[in-house]
Amino acid sequence: IGLVGSEMCIRDRYIIVQQVVPKKLPPIAVQRMAWKTGEALCDPVVVDFLQFIRTHMQSDGSFSFRIPKGTSKNSFATLSEIAQTWDKMGLFASIVIYPQNIVYELAQNETVRHFLSGKWLELFVEHQVQQILNRYQEEQGAEVSVCSNVILSEAASVGSTHELDVVFSINGKFFWVEAKSSSRSIDYGKYASLCEKLKVTSDRLLLVNSDLSVEECEGVSYFWNYRVANCATITQELESMIAKQIEITAALSTD
């Protein structure tokens, strides 16, 4: 793939043993639903709803999500729209949206559970990355590439592998994005250590966690020296991450 020629020495230390390229992605209707979900999660009420669903994911039966007091009409409309979109695509066995609560029964389907557990976030993140890469390619003629679910195997250590959610490059500069749809039991130190192993500076890793508030993202980034964003801030963090590396490259070329 295009990433093999990037500045990270994959050719010397790592072998790409698995990757998902665009033609292997889910149908466009599923991708669009994921993009819409990511955009809707800029609203904390939708965040709460998805967290509620995940909490009861492994349980059968009907559940009632109570609409938080003080929810604005716009937030309720956003929540209703995303719930109806999921229902239209078959994610619910049944759903009724009331002014005070949403009563639903999740479809008994492992693909549905996989999507709601985090696949939607991976698709959303890759879409956000692709949008930015398209602009760099169109406006600056940059050489770009992107792949998801990349599994690297250490060439000198059979059986030792690392999975990266989304990786991309711009003019040979390598970037890495991890997507997490839960704020519980995440080993943040694992990503810092992996940066060292892959010889990627921490400023080229962006962790996207849909559960975290903007303040919590800043808190995690304080303790772990890499970028952290949620669905509302992913675009600006991606832009900032790329711009900084381009600026560093330009400065080095003039020295």
Side-chain angles (χ1 to χ4, degrees), residues 106-204:
L106 199 64
Q108 298 300 304
N109 181 301
E110 287 305 313
T111 305
V112 167
R113 282 173 162 75
H114 179 60
F115 181 85
L116 290 175
S117 294
K119 182 62 177 179
W120 69 268
L121 182 59
E122 291 182 16
L123 294 172
F124 173 70
V125 166
E126 184 168 2
H127 177 63
Q128 297 300 103
V129 168
Q130 189 65 66
Q131 295 293 98
I132 292 175
L133 295 186
N134 289 346
R135 197 179 73 247
Y136 271 91
Q137 190 173 41
E138 292 169 5
E139 297 178 0
Q140 302 181 21
E143 293 184 3
V144 303
S145 62
V146 60
C147 281
S148 59
N149 300 115
V150 174
I151 297 180
L152 302 179
S153 176
E154 292 188 39
S157 178
V158 178
S160 179
T161 60
H162 309 295
E163 182 176 358
L164 313 181
D165 286 341
V166 179
V167 293
F168 66 96
S169 67
I170 299 180
N171 292 334
K173 287 291 183 182
F174 178 90
F175 300 90
W176 164 31
V177 186
E178 281 295 308
K180 296 297 174 186
S181 58
S182 174
S183 58
R184 300 176 182 176
S185 302
I186 295 178
D187 183 1
Y188 290 107
K190 175 178 69 175
Y191 304 112
S193 298
L194 194 49
C195 278
E196 295 181 8
K197 282 187 176 183
L198 300 179
K199 297 189 182 300
V200 176
T201 58
S202 58
D203 198 49
R204 275 187 265 166

Side-chain angles (χ1 to χ4, degrees), residues 31 33-42 118-131 166 208 210 230-235 238:
Q31 293 183 58
M33 181 169 63
W35 307 341
K36 193 165 191 166
T37 298
E39 292 166 357
L41 262 81
C42 291
K119 182 62 177 179
W120 69 268
L121 182 59
E122 291 182 16
L123 294 172
F124 173 70
V125 166
E126 184 168 2
H127 177 63
Q128 297 300 103
V129 168
Q130 189 65 66
Q131 295 293 98
V166 179
V208 181
S210 60
N230 59 22
C231 290
T233 60
I234 177 177
T235 300
L238 281 170

Side-chain angles (χ1 to χ4, degrees), residues 88-106:
K88 185 177 181 180
M89 293 294 288
L91 275 61
F92 296 113
S94 65
I95 184 170
V96 182
I97 302 173
Y98 298 105
Q100 290 80 31
N101 64 331
I102 296 178
V103 179
Y104 73 89
E105 182 177 346
L106 199 64

Side-chain angles (χ1 to χ4, degrees), residues 9-120:
C9 298
I10 296 177
R11 291 169 298 180
D12 299 330
R13 296 188 57 200
Y14 298 95
I15 301 170
I16 296 175
V17 295
Q18 179 179 315
Q19 59 181 307
V20 175
V21 293
K23 65 181 180 181
K24 294 183 180 179
L25 290 172
I28 190 63
V30 175
Q31 293 183 58
R32 285 176 177 155
M33 181 169 63
W35 307 341
K36 193 165 191 166
T37 298
E39 292 166 357
L41 262 81
C42 291
D43 193 308
V45 176
V46 182
V47 174
D48 289 346
F49 182 49
L50 185 53
Q51 288 177 333
F52 182 87
I53 289 177
R54 286 204 311 267
T55 299
H56 301 88
M57 188 88 71
Q58 302 306 321
S59 302
D60 298 333
S62 181
F63 298 92
S64 177
F65 171 75
R66 182 172 295 278
I67 308 297
K69 290 183 178 180
T71 296
S72 68
K73 290 183 179 180
N74 287 340
S75 290
F76 182 76
T78 299
L79 177 60
S80 298
E81 183 180 2
I82 198 65
Q84 289 168 11
T85 299
W86 292 346
D87 184 40
K88 185 177 181 180
M89 293 294 288
L91 275 61
F92 296 113
S94 65
I95 184 170
V96 182
I97 302 173
Y98 298 105
Q100 290 80 31
N101 64 331
I102 296 178
V103 179
Y104 73 89
E105 182 177 346
L106 199 64
Q108 298 300 304
N109 181 301
E110 287 305 313
T111 305
V112 167
R113 282 173 162 75
H114 179 60
F115 181 85
L116 290 175
S117 294
K119 182 62 177 179
W120 69 268

